[in-house]
């Protein structure tokens, strides 16, 4: 490690020392950040965008330090929102962050030439910089010898070796961060020909006449170099008649010289990287075949690789779909216990209903998803930390690219078959904004486990005695429907709202390593906490609103009196023959109150709209009431048909009552076309407030959950309409 400045007196500061951490993907940047910040970090979004903001607040040697973990990026050319946010933070243009005191640039010690490309761009910003050579053990295993002292002298900044996953070198990094504000700004390398810098001054002078505030030289350089980038797009929109012709002319003049835009950048930056490494890094004469290389011959092959990938994805899928069930059962039991405790100590009434059906049900509606989310992120954290996730994305890229997505979209979409909430949250592994947004918007089309009760009930109604393979065939068709529609929607979104070429799939395959238990546990905790504290509050609020719409404005005096009588009789004799009569009377009263409630009135109002689907107002109310969660339709139908709200999809009385339901003219309500219409609607609709709230959380805007709800509802309605109308002609 290089010698740090000796002037270590800590002067009082009004704000924490602010240090940004940046690096290529798969360099262990997040691992290092988590090791330094521990549990003292908070996660959010940068204002007005979907880019995640992760800040660690620590105190070392009595001094407060604010660590900003910037998105992993291969360059600081703002061609994506992630890169633009990183540049704005480093330039002090992010108001929430403010001025930065220094930068810690994390690089892969085993791939220095590639990683120094980003370092050279960081130096262009003129900030005090510390370079961390992470994964030094991997570099040594490959036969590379790095003289960090000599490299530090050549770069002109401190250079530190670390093994973040083993927590080695952390003390040196902390010490360097504490002294970063004492360092001189990194010396900016003059890489381009003089003509380029003259062109920058020319454009800068023109911009000064158009804008009140001068633009930093770095942004002008990036605008010239990055054809079609974020900066050019923003400024050309402000000055379409002036800037576009100017940029075209300047670029043409540079092209005619020895500065062809943008190809010159890669040439000069890699030449600089090789110059810096010369004499500081000794490589073996022949590339050694590492254990990772040998494993990759199998795991990235077309046949064996896909088999292994399928097996791993099957385990992940089953963990979310099946292994989470016992844990979810504990939360359900806790919810029932809490509800029972309230019922035992509070007389029936509006307040008890609010607490039991609103508050407790709302909290339960949040926590019930926690096991699935925790298990998903447990597997994602393990696969990422061991290095396999990059291989999975590589294997699936060819398939996903056919619909305009990348291989990284596969895991979130696959996860959505269990629950769209962890699936949407898993899109954070996708760096490209277009791919991430399209994946978020189509993930709810995957048939999640919440749709299963609806499928089971409807299939049992029209195939009660049929062979299992027939029922399974219908179930498979419903699951396939979501996949087929999602492919079409993804293709359409990439052709309209998210236009642009599918970016080339560029990803370095990190070396395999044993996952760090500490890092994996921290990531699972971090993601689970983020869901409960942010998305959970929105889900809870939605549950309260739906409870109110089902409860008011009816007079529940008789219902509460009957409930009190039932509970009193149950306390004396649970086998009393009067219980069934009282329960039936109470269910009839409850059904009448639901019909008179705001949701019930809405159901009657929309009956003309749902009648073309073959539905009556009761199915309409069930669909509306199931907005918080699709499976709620079962309990709602049970209450409407005077069976109580504790029925499930296997309840024979509910099936019999629904099978006997008729229209006023005596026609049966639940015909085969109607049952398929209901299943198709629920397969495609956005009947999950929790998913919409998580989309809001991930996109940092109400626009996209609203868009998702509208497009999926319209799609579901039209598909259900066609299903019923065509089915009625056939049957």
């Amino acid at each position: 490690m290089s010698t740090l400045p000796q002037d270590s007196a800590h002067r009082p500061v009004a704000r924490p020392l602010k240090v940004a951490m940046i690096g290529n993907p798969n360099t262990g940047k997040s691992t290092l950040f988590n090791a330094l910040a521990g549990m003292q970090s908070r996660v959010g979004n940068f204002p007005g965008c979907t880019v995640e903001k992760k800040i660690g607040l620590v105190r070392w040697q009595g001094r407060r330090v604010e660590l900003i973990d910037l998105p992993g990026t291969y360059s600081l050319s703002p061609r994506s929102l992630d890169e633009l946010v990183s540049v704005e933070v480093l330039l002090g243009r992010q108001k929430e962050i403010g001025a930065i005191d220094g930068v810690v640039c994390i690089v892969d010690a085993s791939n220095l030439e590639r990683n120094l490309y980003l370092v050279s761009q960081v130096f262009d910003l003129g900030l005090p910089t510390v370079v961390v050579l992470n994964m030094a053990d991997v570099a040594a295993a490959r036969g590379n010898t790095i003289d960090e002292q000599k490299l530090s002298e050549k770069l002109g900044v401190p250079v530190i070796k670390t093994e973040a996953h083993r927590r080695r070198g952390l003390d040196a990094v902390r010490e360097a961060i504490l002294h970063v504000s004492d360092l001189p700004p990194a010396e900016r390398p003059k890489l381009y020909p003089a003509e380029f810098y003259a062109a920058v001054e020319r454009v800068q002078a023109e911009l000064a006449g158009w804008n009140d505030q001068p633009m930093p030289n770095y942004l002008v350089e990036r605008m010239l170099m990055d054809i079609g980038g974020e900066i050019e797009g923003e400024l050309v929109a402000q000055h379409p008649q002036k800037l576009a012709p100017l940029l075209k002319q300047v670029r043409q003049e540079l092209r005619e010289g020895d500065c062809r835009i943008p190809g010159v950048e890669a040439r000069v930056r890699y030449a600089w990287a090789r110059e810096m490494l010369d004499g500081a890094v000794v490589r073996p004469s022949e590339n050694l075949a590492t254990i990772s290389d040998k494993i990759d011959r199998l795991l990235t092959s077309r046949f064996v690789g896909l088999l292994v990938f399928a097996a791993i994805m099957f385990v992940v899928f089953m963990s979310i779909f099946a292994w989470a069930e016992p844990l979810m059962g504990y939360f359900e039991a806790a919810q029932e216990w809490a509800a029972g405790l309230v019922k035992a100590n509070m007389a029936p009434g509006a307040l008890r209903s609010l607490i039991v059906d609103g508050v407790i049900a709302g909290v339960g509606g949040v926590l019930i998803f926690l096991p699935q989310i925790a298990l998903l992120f447990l597997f994602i954290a393990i696969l990422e930390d061991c290095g396999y996730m990059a291989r999975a994305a590589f294997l699936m890229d060819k398939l996903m690219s056919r619909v305009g997505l990348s291989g990284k979209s596969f895991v979130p979409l696959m996860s959505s078959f269990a629950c769209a909430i962890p699936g949407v949250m898993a899109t954070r592994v996708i760096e490209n904004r277009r791919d991430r947004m399209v994946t978020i918007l189509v993930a709810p089309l995957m048939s999640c486990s919440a749709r299963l009760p609806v499928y089971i009930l409807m299939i049992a109604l029209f195939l009660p005695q049929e062979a299992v393979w027939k029922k399974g065939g219908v179930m498979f068709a419903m699951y396939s429907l979501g996949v087929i529609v999602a492919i079409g929607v993804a293709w359409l979104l990439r052709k309209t709202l998210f236009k642009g070429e599918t970016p080339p799939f560029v990803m370095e395959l990190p070396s395999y390593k044993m996952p760090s238990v500490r890092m994996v546990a921290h990531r699972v905790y971090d993601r689970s906490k983020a869901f409960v504290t942010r998305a959970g509050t929105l889900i809870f609020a939605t549950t309260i609103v739906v409870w109110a719409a089902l409860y008011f404005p009816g007079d529940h005096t008789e219902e509460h009196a009957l409930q009190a009588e039932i509970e009193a009789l149950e306390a004396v004799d649970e086998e009393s023959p009067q219980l069934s009569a009282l329960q039936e009377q109470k269910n009839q009263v409850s059904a009448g109150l639901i019909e008179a409630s705001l949701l019930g009135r809405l159901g009657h109002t929309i009956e003309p709209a749902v009648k073309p689907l073959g539905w009556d107002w009761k199915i309409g109310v069930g669909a509306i009431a199931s907005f918080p969660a699709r499976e709620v339709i079962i309990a709602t139908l049970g209450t409407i048909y005077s069976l109580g709200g504790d029925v499930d999809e296997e309840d024979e009385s509910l099936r019999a009552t629904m099978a006997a339901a008729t229209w006023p003219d005596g026609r049966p309500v639940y015909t085969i076309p109607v049952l398929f219409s209901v299943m198709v609607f629920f397969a495609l609709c956005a009947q999950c407030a929790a998913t919409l709230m998580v989309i809001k959380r991930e996109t940092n805007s109400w626009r996209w959950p609203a868009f998702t709800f509208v497009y999926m509802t319209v799609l579901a309605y039209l598909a259900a309409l066609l299903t019923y109308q065509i089915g009625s002609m056939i049957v």
Side-chain angles (χ1 to χ4, degrees), residues 474-720:
V474 176
M475 187 81 73
F476 177 77
M478 290 298 104
Y479 275 82
S480 300
L481 177 64
V483 175
I484 294 169
V485 172
I487 290 172
V489 171
W491 179 85
L492 187 62
L493 288 172
R494 285 308 304 262
K495 296 294 182 182
T496 54
L497 295 179
F498 300 97
K499 287 182 180 179
E501 295 183 7
T502 301
F505 186 72
V506 179
M507 173 179 278
E508 295 177 23
L509 299 182
S511 299
Y512 292 101
K513 60 181 176 64
M514 285 296 296
S516 165
V517 175
R518 183 190 295 268
M519 293 301 109
V520 169
H522 182 274
R523 289 181 190 178
V524 174
Y525 169 80
D526 189 51
R527 295 308 183 196
S528 301
K529 178 183 175 184
F531 167 72
V532 172
T533 56
R534 285 190 292 276
T537 55
L538 296 172
I539 298 169
F540 174 76
T542 303
T543 305
I544 297 294
V545 170
V546 172
W547 166 83
L550 275 169
Y551 191 86
F552 296 107
D555 182 0
H556 292 258
T557 304
E558 184 180 0
E559 181 190 35
H560 294 156
L562 288 168
Q563 181 63 36
E565 192 173 347
I566 290 170
E567 291 175 6
L569 191 57
E570 285 177 337
V572 176
D573 182 10
E574 291 185 353
E575 304 297 328
S576 173
Q578 297 179 14
L579 275 175
S580 58
L582 284 172
Q583 188 64 57
E584 183 176 351
Q585 184 181 355
K586 186 250 181 182
N587 291 340
Q588 290 175 349
V589 172
S590 298
L593 288 169
I594 285 181
E595 186 173 357
S597 70
L598 292 174
L599 273 182
R601 294 175 185 181
L602 183 58
H604 281 288
T605 302
I606 67 168
E607 188 172 32
V610 299
K611 202 167 185 178
L613 310 182
W615 302 3
D616 62 0
W617 73 269
K618 296 179 181 179
I619 302 176
V621 167
I624 296 171
S626 62
F627 172 66
R630 298 173 181 91
E631 63 270 30
V632 173
I633 189 176
I634 308 298
T636 304
L637 289 174
T639 302
I640 292 175
Y641 286 114
S642 302
L643 299 172
D646 297 328
V647 299
D648 59 29
E649 65 274 12
E650 303 289 349
D651 196 288
E652 293 294 340
S653 60
L654 177 60
R655 294 178 185 176
T657 304
M658 291 175 65
T662 60
W663 292 92
D665 61 5
R667 290 180 296 113
V669 172
Y670 293 96
T671 61
I672 291 179
V674 169
L675 295 171
F676 268 98
S677 171
V678 172
M679 284 194 294
V680 167
F681 182 86
F682 274 82
L684 301 178
C685 70
Q687 294 296 98
C688 184
T691 298
L692 296 178
M693 297 308 169
V694 171
I695 291 176
K696 190 273 174 188
R697 156 77 185 98
E698 294 300 308
T699 62
N700 204 32
S701 168
W702 284 108
R703 172 188 176 189
W704 296 114
F707 172 80
T708 304
F709 177 77
V710 170
Y711 101 76
M712 288 184 66
T713 302
V714 171
L715 190 63
Y717 183 89
L718 293 176

Side-chain angles (χ1 to χ4, degrees), residues 206 209-210 235-236 238-248:
E206 292 286 346
W210 303 340
L235 287 179
V236 167
Q238 296 175 13
H239 311 287
Q241 304 302 320
K242 300 178 180 179
L243 187 56
L246 175 63
L247 291 177
K248 183 178 180 181

Side-chain angles (χ1 to χ4, degrees), residues 8-66:
S8 60
H10 295 308
R11 296 176 295 275
V13 290
R15 60 176 177 81
L17 182 67
K18 295 183 181 179
V19 178
M21 300 180 67
I22 193 167
N24 288 180
N26 299 313
T27 57
K29 175 180 61 66
S30 294
T31 302
L32 180 61
F33 172 85
N34 291 333
L36 293 172
M39 299 295 182
Q40 304 167 51
S41 61
R42 62 174 188 264
V43 181
N45 278 42
F46 285 98
C49 66
T50 62
V51 180
E52 186 175 85
K53 176 178 65 178
K54 195 169 185 179
I55 297 177
L57 295 171
V58 295
R59 183 179 292 274
W60 298 330
Q61 298 180 20
R63 187 167 190 182
R64 293 188 303 152
V65 180
E66 190 172 300

